[in-house]
Amino acid sequence: MSEHEVSNRPASSIILLLSGPNLNLLGEREPDVYGTDTLEDHVAVATATAQQHGLVLEHQQSNLEGTLIDLIQQARGRCAGIIINPGAFSHYSWAIHDALAVFEGPVVELHLSNPNAREPWRHISVVSPVATGTIVGFGGHGYELAVQAVARQLSS
Ligand code: CA2
């Protein structure tokens, strides 16, 4: 590329994977709903998929809404994309909605289960309107799909 050509490639190759409340318990309880894999297992899949695309995956889990918001804010200008499973915050955290709304890169909302097929209160996501796209109901495979989706968004 000459010095006058403009690249569409983002300056950063970091994908931030955020896991919300109680996801640290994966593999311990409710295997019928969330499977037997641990969060560590899912992060390993996401990390390997990112590497295949020349990207670097960073993962953070928090049970605290404010911590997740701080991490989203700190990703601005530093990370190329965000994958977030906001857990139950998906259904009522307008503060996470507002933080994601000002992130400049692609945002994938990820759920292990399909909340739309569960209790009515899980049918609403306040995060979905500010996500580039949403992946739900594919269990652990969703982590691979989410990284692939971000990689495709970044290369288009
Ligand atoms: O399906 C998903 O990924 C969810 O984000 C999981 C959240 C739930 O509130 C959302 O509606 C859908 C809950 C995560 C709690 O995970 C646990 C794992 C093991 C034991 C207990 C909870």
Side-chain angles (χ1 to χ4, degrees):
M1 189 172 68
S2 82
E3 62 181 308
H4 300 296
E5 281 178 277
V6 177
S7 167
N8 285 329
R9 282 188 69 78
S12 167
S13 59
I14 301 170
I15 298 177
L16 179 63
L17 171 62
L18 290 175
S19 301
N22 297 309
L23 287 162
N24 53 311
L25 300 178
L26 284 174
E28 286 181 28
R29 297 161 83 180
E30 300 197 60
D32 47 323
V33 182
Y34 300 118
T36 53
D37 287 343
T38 64
L39 185 57
E40 200 176 35
D41 294 330
H42 296 312
V43 173
V45 167
T47 300
T49 309
Q51 277 172 359
Q52 288 163 15
H53 292 275
L55 297 166
V56 173
L57 191 109
E58 277 185 18
H59 175 250
Q60 299 277 351
Q61 187 275 334
S62 180
N63 294 325
L64 304 178
E65 184 180 23
T67 300
L68 292 167
I69 292 163
D70 284 345
L71 290 165
I72 294 165
Q73 289 185 5
Q74 289 159 13
R76 296 176 62 205
R78 191 181 75 81
C79 298
I82 294 177
I83 298 167
I84 181 166
N85 183 343
F89 287 144
S90 314
H91 312 302
Y92 62 92
S93 177
W94 290 104
I96 288 178
H97 165 286
D98 287 350
L100 289 170
V102 292
F103 179 73
E104 54 283 333
V107 173
V108 174
E109 179 188 0
L110 172 64
H111 296 282
L112 290 155
S113 67
N114 177 358
N116 298 304
R118 300 178 63 192
E119 303 96 316
W121 62 268
R122 294 186 203 270
H123 296 185
I124 298 267
S125 168
V126 299
V127 170
S128 293
V130 290
T132 311
T134 302
I135 295 171
V136 304
F138 294 107
H141 185 209
Y143 285 82
E144 185 180 345
L145 295 173
V147 173
Q148 288 171 346
V150 171
R152 178 73 68 90
Q153 289 285 314
L154 294 175
S155 65
S156 63

